[in-house]
Amino acid sequence: MYLGILFSVLVYLLSDAVPVKRQAYFNSTAYLPCPFTKAQNISPSELVVFWQDRKKSVLYEHYLGAEKLDNVNAKYLGRTSFDRDNQALRLHNVQINDTGFYDCFIQQKTPTGSIILQQWETELSVIANFSEPEIEEAQNETRNTGINLTCSSKQGYPKPTKMYFLITNSTNEYGDNMQISQDNVTKLFSVSVSLSLSFPDEVYNMTIVCILETESMNISSKPYNMVFSQPHFGGKTWIQTVLPSSALCCLILLPVYKVVKKCWKKQKQLGRPWRKTCESEQDSGADESINLEEVEPQLHQQNQMQSGDGEGLRKELKSASLK
Ligand SMILES: *[C@@H]1O[C@H](CO)[C@@H](O)[C@H](O)[C@H]1NC(C)=O
Ligand SMILES: *[C@@H]1O[C@H](CO)[C@@H](O)[C@H](O)[C@H]1NC(C)=O
Ligand SMILES: *[C@@H]1O[C@H](CO)[C@@H](O)[C@H](O)[C@H]1NC(C)=O
Ligand SMILES: *[C@@H]1O[C@H](CO)[C@@H](O)[C@H](O)[C@H]1NC(C)=O
Ligand SMILES: *[C@@H]1O[C@H](CO)[C@@H](O)[C@H](O)[C@H]1NC(C)=O
Ligand SMILES: *[C@@H]1O[C@H](CO)[C@@H](O)[C@H](O)[C@H]1NC(C)=O
């Protein structure tokens, strides 16, 4: 107990100033320095140098001139190497979980015991650059339905502060429903934000960028251009639409007009019912055509007269004589 406190005080006194802050990118190599400033004249064969984390797990030990793995914690095995030139320990393949404080001790072993010559403390932070934000458009949009955009960025650390859209010439920040998710293995964050927007009248193109803000920097997406065609009869200009359809109209209406005109003329000449005149016109397409319905009774009458000339005459006479 007393020994522990004494040791702590001693270590505190020996400790060289405040922790050195070091930053490393995720999955890269971190350097944990430990310069032998007070041990320069001492032979390496008398020195014990080791690094440990705040849980007292040993990362690496250099024992009397040689690497010693006995005390190294399993989670650091194979992940470290000693950089003699820089008197620092390399921690490879840094993970977010490696964030924290590390102590390096330089001990001198003498026949009478060990003395701590020096202690270095390093505060390691691990960061990961978010991927460049990417804007994606929901499918099947037209100018009329409005636009739905999603912006997303992946695998960054620490947690981002803000993500939003900027639209041409506007300083307003747009977007909502910012979603942050964290990978439960790597601890990296992914983030997305969405934008639902109707196109203002008279605006046919917009440039949109998406910004991701983190504590240390802002990352911008590539500009996203939205262009819609000008008015807009199914995406064509009015002249493209009106011309073909009016040509089609002429093609259909011309023969109809001709027939109607003819009918009208004839009706005026004959004073016949409109419908019948036109039917005969349309059926045969010739002026000489005969409407059977109309003509049949006349024929019948004629036949009668011709066949029974004598009889008819007699009947008439008979009736005349009876009177
Ligand atoms: C870490 O780096 C290695 C190669 O150095 C690479 O294969 C791996 O994909 C990286 N992992 C991540 C999560 O970036
Ligand atoms: C992270 O981003 C910074 C700033 O853009 C850049 O200088 C650095 O090289 C990037 N690092 C990695 C590992 O991508
Ligand atoms: C988009 O349109 C295509 C065909 O035009 C259709 O197959 C697809 O399901 C549509 N997608 C959505 C999200 O409506
Ligand atoms: C855009 O989003 C809004 C609300 O989120 C939704 O009502 C609308 O149907 C979406 N439009 C398209 C084309 O996806
Ligand atoms: C944006 O501003 C530029 C010049 O400042 C102008 O030419 C352009 O028409 C503006 N665009 C919109 C969509 O307002
Ligand atoms: C990560 O989280 C998901 C969902 O919460 C879970 O299904 C999965 O088992 C987790 N993976 C690990 C390695 O914890």
Side-chain angles (χ1 to χ4, degrees):
M1 177 78 184
Y2 282 113
L3 209 67
I5 290 169
L6 189 67
F7 185 77
S8 296
V9 170
L10 191 68
V11 162
Y12 176 77
L13 290 174
L14 286 167
S15 161
D16 285 81
V18 288
V20 179
K21 282 184 200 262
R22 286 294 165 104
Q23 200 172 58
Y25 284 112
F26 176 81
N27 210 15
S28 73
T29 298
Y31 286 83
L32 307 175
C34 194
F36 297 176
T37 47
K38 292 180 185 168
Q40 269 157 350
N41 303 322
I42 301 169
S43 158
S45 60
E46 282 177 45
L47 291 177
V48 175
V49 183
F50 65 96
W51 281 261
Q52 66 182 30
D53 64 21
R54 282 294 159 94
K55 286 178 182 160
K56 309 273 187 248
S57 301
V58 175
L59 286 79
Y60 179 89
E61 186 175 9
H62 207 81
Y63 188 80
L64 308 180
E67 227 173 82
K68 190 180 174 198
L69 299 177
D70 302 11
N71 299 319
V72 174
N73 188 287
K75 76 183 216 188
Y76 295 113
L77 271 176
R79 290 185 60 204
T80 54
S81 60
F82 182 53
D83 183 345
R84 209 173 291 275
D85 297 335
N86 296 308
Q87 296 182 328
L89 185 72
R90 299 188 201 98
L91 177 61
H92 303 289
N93 189 226
V94 168
Q95 301 297 299
I96 302 300
N97 288 338
D98 293 325
T99 301
F101 291 88
Y102 295 88
D103 295 296
C104 168
F105 297 96
I106 302 170
Q107 282 179 329
Q108 184 178 17
K109 249 195 148 45
T110 62
T112 54
S114 323
I115 351 156
I116 294 176
L117 294 177
Q118 212 165 0
Q119 182 197 1
W120 293 93
E121 191 180 23
T122 305
E123 185 182 359
L124 177 67
S125 60
V126 181
I127 58 167
N129 284 350
F130 278 92
S131 65
E132 185 183 86
E134 258 182 74
I135 296 178
E136 263 186 302
E137 191 175 349
Q139 281 185 327
N140 301 346
E141 288 177 333
T142 67
R143 186 180 185 280
N144 297 332
T145 61
I147 51 174
N148 285 359
L149 300 179
T150 306
C151 178
S152 53
S153 175
K154 289 183 291 187
Q155 307 206 313
Y157 198 92
K159 206 172 185 166
T161 49
K162 223 172 58 136
M163 193 183 214
Y164 52 89
F165 292 93
L166 290 178
I167 301 177
T168 341
N169 295 5
S170 168
T171 53
N172 292 342
E173 295 171 4
Y174 295 89
D176 43 40
N177 196 23
M178 176 160 140
Q179 296 200 317
I180 301 178
S181 60
Q182 187 173 25
D183 188 302
N184 49 11
V185 177
T186 63
K187 306 289 180 213
L188 298 179
F189 292 103
S190 289
V191 58
S192 74
V193 67
S194 54
L195 173 68
S196 256
L197 184 81
S198 58
F199 252 54
D201 288 342
E202 305 303 322
V203 175
Y204 298 103
N205 66 70
M206 283 183 186
T207 302
I208 298 169
V209 292
C210 172
I211 312 284
L212 177 67
E213 283 188 15
T214 67
E215 279 158 27
S216 56
M217 64 174 120
N218 291 2
I219 315 172
S220 172
S221 72
K222 290 192 178 70
Y224 190 85
N225 292 314
M226 302 208 69
V227 180
F228 290 103
S229 49
Q230 298 275 328
H232 91 88
F233 297 88
K236 291 174 182 168
T237 64
W238 71 270
I239 202 118
Q240 277 175 311
T241 311
V242 169
L243 269 184
S245 57
S246 52
L248 196 67
C249 274
C250 289
L251 277 175
I252 292 168
L253 288 179
L254 202 66
V256 172
Y257 167 75
K258 269 187 178 162
V259 169
V260 167
K261 197 176 151 194
K262 229 177 212 170
C263 288
W264 191 64
K265 242 187 199 162
K266 208 163 189 179
Q267 192 200 19
K268 261 174 86 182
Q269 283 171 1
L270 301 176
R272 286 168 76 184
W274 169 257
R275 194 179 61 85
K276 286 198 169 172
T277 321
C278 278
E279 268 171 8
S280 70
E281 286 284 343
Q282 280 168 339
D283 283 348
S284 64
D287 287 354
E288 292 76 24
S289 76
I290 299 159
N291 188 328
L292 284 179
E293 249 185 292
E294 265 180 296
V295 175
E296 221 164 21
Q298 288 170 7
L299 281 177
H300 189 61
Q301 263 176 15
Q302 272 177 359
N303 281 350
Q304 264 190 345
M305 299 258 288
Q306 276 164 6
S307 65
D309 253 355
E311 224 181 40
L313 197 64
R314 256 174 268 134
K315 266 182 192 169
E316 269 175 60
L317 288 173
K318 212 177 178 177
S319 62
S321 65
L322 279 176
K323 277 175 190 174

